[in-house]
Amino acid sequence: MTRRIVPAVLAALLAASPAAAANKDIERLAVQIAALQGQLAEVQRASDETRAELKRLAELVAEQNALLKKSATDRRQQDEILTTGLRDLGDRVAEVAEAVEALKVQVAPLVGGLPSSPPSPSVAAGGPGAEGAAPGASGGAPAAAAPATPAPAPRELYSQAYADYARGNYDLAIQGFSEYIRNYPGTDFTDNAQYWIGECLYGKRMYAEAIEAWNTLFKDYAASDKLPDGRVKKGMALERLGRKSQALVEYRYVVDRFPNTQAARIARERLTP
């Protein structure tokens, strides 16, 4: 439409005065109008290109935002999977460490060598009083050798209880650990037995009872090296019971009191929202 304006203006000027056709001012005016028309068209074209570029950039930003959101979601899911895997690995490491401790108990009596066999109760042939030395012996024959000394009861009892726990036989494990505590209350593994009673109850989803078992550990074995693990597992049991605020108290206690333990690492993960 702008292009039609110029001829119309020129025609009007020429019609108004035939002598004005030769006027240089009119010619210059016509040139200026044509130049302005070209500049206007250029501005219009640049404006169209700018709008197209802005639209493209807006679409690109939208795509980038969508990708960032998806990446953040994927990263969060990966972190959750990794955290869960690390937690399970930590629990498994604790179980393996406990199994190693049980194995040490089994191997300990063998470290110093096997005990010597007891002397035969029979009297050497031809010695004084040989005929009446062994009552009930016929013809002075030596008595049968004494049986080997049986393995220590604490070792067998604890190892069997832990084996039951590892197989998921929680009731038998609780029975074995309880018997160990009752018969051998002052050994290095008495506090461990109390801890594993709580683990067995947790495995049976008896969370309130597991908490009571760990409370007994804290009360009766205040110097036990199982306290950090017991505190963390108590917190997890409290979470299962919906008592989140109390669980956080247990986690903070472990982080503050036992900062360099595996239990503290798990507690920090539990404290992270």
Side-chain angles (χ1 to χ4, degrees):
M1 177 178 182
T2 304
R3 294 177 179 177
R4 290 196 298 270
I5 294 174
V6 176
V9 172
L10 292 176
L13 291 173
L14 294 173
S17 176
N23 195 312
K24 298 296 183 179
D25 292 337
I26 295 176
E27 292 180 359
R28 285 196 295 270
L29 180 60
V31 172
Q32 292 175 359
I33 292 174
L36 289 174
Q37 183 181 14
Q39 292 176 5
L40 180 62
E42 183 66 21
V43 169
Q44 183 66 37
R45 184 186 63 79
S47 176
D48 293 341
E49 291 179 354
T50 301
R51 282 197 297 269
E53 182 65 13
L54 287 174
K55 180 179 179 182
R56 188 185 69 82
L57 290 175
E59 293 174 351
L60 181 61
V61 169
E63 291 177 359
Q64 292 297 325
N65 287 336
L67 289 175
L68 287 174
K69 289 180 180 179
K70 183 178 183 301
S71 177
T73 301
D74 294 343
R75 178 62 181 272
R76 185 166 55 252
Q77 292 176 348
Q78 291 176 358
D79 289 344
E80 291 176 356
I81 294 172
L82 180 60
T83 300
T84 302
L86 288 174
R87 187 181 302 123
D88 293 342
L89 180 59
D91 293 342
R92 181 57 181 164
V93 168
E95 293 179 4
V96 171
E98 191 69 19
V100 170
E101 291 180 8
L103 183 60
K104 288 180 180 178
V105 175
Q106 292 180 341
V107 175
L110 304 178
V111 173
L114 294 175
S116 58
S117 299
S120 173
S122 61
V123 179
E131 294 182 359
S138 174
T149 304
R155 183 185 70 213
E156 290 184 355
L157 187 56
Y158 186 92
S159 298
Q160 182 58 50
Y162 186 82
D164 287 329
Y165 163 77
R167 288 192 291 265
N169 298 328
Y170 297 129
D171 290 331
L172 289 176
I174 292 172
Q175 180 180 345
F177 287 127
S178 299
E179 185 178 352
Y180 186 95
I181 295 171
R182 184 170 57 254
N183 294 327
Y184 308 102
T187 69
D188 292 339
F189 286 89
T190 307
D191 57 327
N192 291 39
Q194 182 63 44
Y195 169 82
W196 287 107
I197 288 176
E199 284 282 8
C200 291
L201 292 167
Y202 187 92
K204 295 180 66 177
R205 300 184 180 179
M206 299 173 65
Y207 304 118
E209 292 80 357
I211 290 172
E212 289 303 318
W214 286 317
N215 285 340
T216 300
L217 172 69
F218 309 148
K219 178 173 62 74
D220 294 347
Y221 309 97
S224 172
D225 59 358
K226 301 299 290 183
L227 291 184
D229 296 328
R231 288 283 184 179
V232 167
K233 292 309 294 278
K234 178 183 176 181
M236 295 170 66
L238 287 168
E239 283 195 78
R240 295 285 188 174
L241 295 174
R243 295 152 63 180
K244 178 71 173 180
S245 60
Q246 297 179 36
L248 295 178
V249 172
E250 295 295 332
Y251 299 146
R252 294 192 185 98
Y253 180 88
V254 173
V255 171
D256 293 340
R257 292 291 300 275
F258 312 101
N260 298 322
T261 62
Q262 174 72 11
R265 186 190 63 77
I266 297 174
R268 290 189 192 94
E269 292 176 356
R270 292 282 180 173
L271 287 170
T272 303

